Structure formats: structure tokens, C-alpha cells
Amino acid sequence: MAVQSSPLHVYLLAGVKTTTCAFNACKEKLETQLRSEGVDPVIRVLFPYGDCSRSVIRQVLEVRSDLSNRMKAGRIGGRNVWEQLKDSMKDEEGRFLLIGHSGGGAAAYQAAKMLEENGMIRDFRVVQVGSPRTPIHPRLQDKVSYFHSIDRDGKQNDPITRIGTWGGWIRKGRSVPRWSRFKYAPGYVEGIPVIGGHADYFRNSEPFVDTEAVCNLDKTIGRVGAWLKGWL
């Protein structure tokens, strides 16, 4: 398959207390998979809340600002990413993919929303991996996917993915309003049988390899790639 002339701009967004090398294997795997699909990726790693050298308490408080859709919310991580990207995106054409782990997923959505509202990007997708639940604007729900860890019984087992809410009141006609837990959910939500915990979605070596010799990284990037396939 011929590689497309217009590159795909990919941004990997880290969460709280992340080391600077945490995305190395993910970046390599993602680049290989995208090129196999005939896509020419330009991949960059961003730290919306700083790296592991910053205070974890300060970083957690900043993540909380990105979990709200209130007009006056601080959205610190999202704004940090927006500030880093807004100037360069004026000169970049093509498609944009933001993949965020943990709090980075909240920052990825908030940054994409601000960029879209300012007319800086039109063709984009956001992937949230092991992230807190951030309310997604209905206009953007089909552009956002969400992946979380599940146990052998298919139950959600990453505590970070229980933080936040997608809920909201809905009403049809003259019926009594009722609460929907998924009113502001991403357009696509899927559980992945990850070995380990919240920090292990992108692990690619023992003990993060299952009995069929599939590592967490392959599972995560494989499912992300499947969701993106129609868009790529």
C-alpha cells in the first residue's frame, strides 16, 4: 500500500508522574502499525502536567481541572497542550490524533476541543486510555474513544477509570427527566484485558504477556488501531 503524502500528526499525552521514556515502546509500535496501514505518522510526546520530577499532588489537582465541562473551568493540562500546539497547527495540514493515558486523556480531549472551537483543526480523533471520565460534548462524541482495563470476568478494574462522570439528565417529550450515566460518554468505549494495573497499558515484556504471548502494548495499540481503521 502506498504511503499517503499528507502526514498524520500524532500526539501522545502523558498523565501524572510519568517518566520521560514511558512512551518509547508505544511510539515505536504505533509508528509501525500506522505505516503498515499506509499512513505516514509524525509522532510527538507531550507532558500536560509535567514529568515525574514534579509534585504528584500538584499534578493531580491540575488533572481535576480537566474533568469539568464548566465554561470557567481551569483545564490546566488541556490549556498547556493547546498553548504548545496552537501556533504550529496553523502551518500543519492533514489529520490530527491525540492519544492520552490517564490524566493525559482528559488533557487530550480538552485541548482538541479548544483547537476545534478556534478553527485550528477539523479532521481529528482523540483516544483516551485508562483515563478519568471526562464529559464529552455531543458534537464531538463520535471523534472520541475510550479504552479501560477489565478483569477475566469483563469487569472494569482500573480505579482511575472510575473517577469523574459522563452522566447527565435526559428527557424525552413530556416524560419525567431521568439520569443517564452515559449522556456525555465518548462515542466508543471498550474494555481491554490488561495484565497488571493502571500504569501497565503500554508494557511489552514479562510479566505483562498473557498465555497466548500477547503483551499489553499489542492489545492496547491493536484495539486503538481497530477503532481508527475507518478513519485512517
Side-chain angles (χ1 to χ4, degrees):
M1 182 182 298
V3 175
Q4 298 178 6
S5 58
S6 179
L8 173 67
H9 301 279
V10 183
Y11 299 93
L12 302 177
L13 278 66
V16 169
K17 212 66 179 174
T18 304
T19 62
T20 55
C21 62
F23 278 119
N24 287 356
C26 176
K27 183 177 179 180
E28 182 178 341
K29 177 68 179 181
L30 187 60
E31 182 171 16
T32 299
Q33 178 158 319
L34 289 170
R35 289 192 180 280
S36 72
E37 296 287 340
V39 177
D40 180 21
V42 178
I43 305 177
R44 303 177 181 89
V45 179
L46 303 177
F47 292 82
Y49 312 102
D51 59 26
C52 60
S53 64
R54 289 193 71 222
S55 162
V56 66
I57 296 176
R58 184 176 294 275
Q59 290 186 49
V60 168
L61 292 175
E62 291 174 354
V63 170
R64 287 181 61 185
S65 74
D66 285 302
L67 302 186
S68 173
N69 256 359
R70 291 183 294 108
M71 292 299 294
K72 295 184 179 180
R75 299 173 187 163
I76 294 174
R79 190 164 295 279
N80 286 342
V81 174
W82 179 75
E83 289 289 349
Q84 293 181 63
L85 301 185
K86 63 184 179 68
D87 292 331
S88 63
M89 282 187 170
K90 293 177 182 177
D91 302 319
E92 292 181 345
E93 297 181 353
R95 295 164 298 167
F96 298 87
L97 171 61
L98 288 80
I99 302 176
H101 171 245
S102 190
Y109 165 69
Q110 297 292 8
K113 185 172 182 287
M114 284 187 277
L115 290 163
E116 188 263 352
E117 288 174 343
N118 285 275
M120 295 177 185
I121 57 174
R122 291 187 299 273
D123 194 4
F124 68 94
R125 294 293 184 273
V126 175
V127 177
Q128 299 178 312
V129 179
S131 300
R133 298 187 176 194
T134 309
I136 308 300
H137 192 287
R139 184 184 74 255
L140 302 179
Q141 284 175 316
D142 288 343
K143 296 181 181 293
V144 183
S145 64
Y146 183 93
F147 298 89
H148 61 89
S149 175
I150 57 175
D151 62 21
R152 293 179 180 179
D153 298 321
K155 296 181 179 179
Q156 191 171 341
N157 63 355
D158 179 349
I160 300 301
T161 61
R162 296 191 178 97
I163 298 173
T165 181
W166 296 325
W169 293 100
I170 61 174
R171 182 177 183 177
K172 294 183 178 180
R174 297 183 179 180
S175 63
V176 176
R178 67 180 180 84
W179 182 260
S180 170
R181 294 188 298 123
F182 299 101
K183 180 176 181 178
Y184 298 109
Y188 185 83
V189 179
E190 182 178 359
I192 305 174
V194 171
I195 298 172
H198 173 70
D200 303 317
Y201 288 91
F202 302 113
R203 306 286 189 184
N204 64 343
S205 59
E206 293 289 351
F208 306 103
V209 180
D210 65 20
T211 56
E212 297 181 354
V214 181
C215 67
N216 287 352
L217 176 62
D218 286 349
K219 293 176 185 177
T220 302
I221 296 300
R223 297 316 305 156
V224 170
W227 178 70
L228 292 171
K229 204 170 186 66
W231 179 60
L232 294 174

